[in-house]
Amino acid sequence: MNVRIRIHVYAQLKDYFDPEFDLLLPENSRVGDVMQRLSELKPAVRDLIAVCRLADNESLMNADQTVRDGDELYCLPPASGG
Amino acid sequence: MKQELKKNTPLYPENDGECEILSRITDSPLDPAELLKRANSPESGARVLFSGDVRGFNLGHEVHYLEYEAQAHLAEKIIVDILNDAREKWPLQSAFCVHRTGRIDPGEVAVMILTASAHRKDAYESNRYIIDRVKREAPIWKKECFIDGTHSWGGHPDAASKNTGQI
C-alpha cells in the first residue's frame, strides 16, 4: 500500500524539480524517507537537499514524523531573505 | 530536532494594548513612511526603522534585479514568533516586519523592520535581533539576476558571512 504526497520546492531546488509534484511512498514512510527519496531522484543536488527542512503549512517537521496520504509538504532550502 | 512553532499564535496584525505586532509577506512595494506613521504613539520615545534595500552591485556584478519568493504562510507565522520573542526581551510598543516578494529593482525596499520603544537602546537592539533572525529562519529566498544575464541564488547568512564578513 502506497501513500501519495504532494511536494512543493523553492529557490534553487526549482532548477532540478518541478515547483510541485507528487511522490508515491510506502505506507508509514517518514519525513526522513521523503528526503532520501528526493536525494535519490536528483543526486546532483543531494548536498542541498541534506540541509533542507520539510514543513507542512503550519510548522517545520521532524525527520521521524510519519507522512500521510494526501499530505501537502514544503521542502525549504536554507533561508536567504532580507 | 523539531523547531516548534508556538501554538495558537494569531495571524497578524495583533495588538494586545501594549504592543502591536505586524508580520506580512507582500508582493506590493513597501513604504517606510507608512510604517513609521503606524508606529507613532505617545508611549514611544524611539522608533527605529531598518530598511533592507536592493544594492546595484554585488559580488562584483551589476545587479539587474532581485527575485524573492517565500512560503508566505509559514514565513508570516515564523516571523510572528520572532516578533513575540523580541517583545518578551525588550519593552516594545511596536514590532513590525514586512517582507516583499517578486521582482525588486536596485534602490527598492525588500524588507522593513520597525521597532518602537520608550528608549532608543531597546528599539535599536530589538530591531537588530529581529532582522538577524528573520534572515536566518524565515522561509524566504532571494535570486540575484545580474545585468550580464547570469544569476545567483542567495546564500544563508551564516554561509554568506564566512565569505564576506557581512550579513
Side-chain angles (χ1 to χ4, degrees):
Chain A
M1 183 80 175
N2 285 331
V3 295
R4 179 186 297 271
I5 61 172
R6 173 142 289 213
I7 302 287
H8 299 251
V9 301
Y10 296 90
Q12 55 268 61
L13 286 176
K14 292 198 298 190
D15 291 343
Y16 299 87
F17 296 96
D18 290 335
E20 54 185 278
F21 55 92
D22 289 345
L23 275 186
L24 282 177
L25 294 161
E27 201 171 25
N28 298 319
S29 290
R30 297 171 187 269
V31 165
D33 301 319
V34 176
M35 303 307 277
Q36 178 66 29
R37 174 67 65 86
L38 293 176
S39 288
E40 290 166 1
L41 287 172
K42 302 289 179 185
V45 74
R46 181 189 306 262
D47 290 349
L48 175 60
I49 293 170
V51 293
C52 288
R53 303 291 304 270
L54 208 64
D56 59 21
N57 204 33
E58 299 299 325
S59 63
L60 301 172
M61 301 175 78
N62 277 325
D64 60 0
Q65 278 183 260
T66 303
V67 298
R68 292 167 300 187
D69 190 54
D71 274 354
E72 194 127 350
L73 304 178
Y74 303 85
C75 187
L76 311 176
S80 61
Chain B
M1 183 169 170
K2 185 173 185 183
Q3 185 177 334
E4 281 281 351
L5 293 173
K6 290 174 182 171
K7 302 300 181 191
N8 305 318
T9 304
L11 290 177
Y12 282 97
E14 176 190 274
N15 191 337
D16 63 4
E18 292 183 358
C19 180
E20 184 183 19
I21 296 286
L22 175 70
S23 166
R24 183 165 296 157
I25 307 295
T26 176
D27 58 6
S28 299
L30 304 185
D31 181 359
E34 182 185 327
L35 213 61
L36 275 167
K37 184 177 177 185
R38 182 174 180 144
N40 194 2
S41 81
E43 292 78 25
S44 300
R47 286 175 289 162
V48 169
L49 173 73
F50 169 78
S51 174
D53 304 339
V54 175
R55 289 190 302 274
F57 285 87
N58 195 31
L59 304 173
H61 294 269
E62 188 175 356
V63 174
H64 190 198
Y65 61 89
L66 301 189
E67 188 84 37
Y68 281 91
E69 64 174 321
Q71 209 291 8
H73 179 75
L74 197 53
E76 287 185 344
K77 290 193 70 171
I78 287 172
I79 291 170
V80 162
D81 285 346
I82 294 169
L83 297 174
N84 272 319
D85 286 346
R87 65 167 295 197
E88 286 176 11
K89 293 173 180 288
W90 292 275
L92 302 177
Q93 284 86 51
S94 303
F96 301 160
C97 174
V98 186
H99 203 302
R100 189 174 167 192
T101 53
R103 174 179 167 151
I104 311 179
D105 292 334
E108 291 190 294
V109 181
V111 59
M112 298 186 301
I113 310 291
L114 190 143
T115 47
S117 189
H119 304 288
R120 68 184 183 279
K121 182 172 185 289
D122 294 326
Y124 272 121
E125 289 178 357
S126 57
N127 197 291
R128 175 68 186 261
Y129 170 87
I130 291 166
I131 186 61
D132 285 351
R133 283 195 58 191
V134 167
K135 286 172 74 75
R136 286 183 168 84
E137 299 174 31
I140 302 170
W141 303 276
K142 168 172 57 187
K143 182 181 183 181
E144 294 179 294
C145 299
F146 301 109
I147 290 287
D148 62 11
T150 61
H151 72 264
S152 168
W153 288 101
H156 189 269
D158 290 340
S161 65
K162 288 177 187 167
N163 296 330
T164 66
Q166 300 291 319
I167 56 174

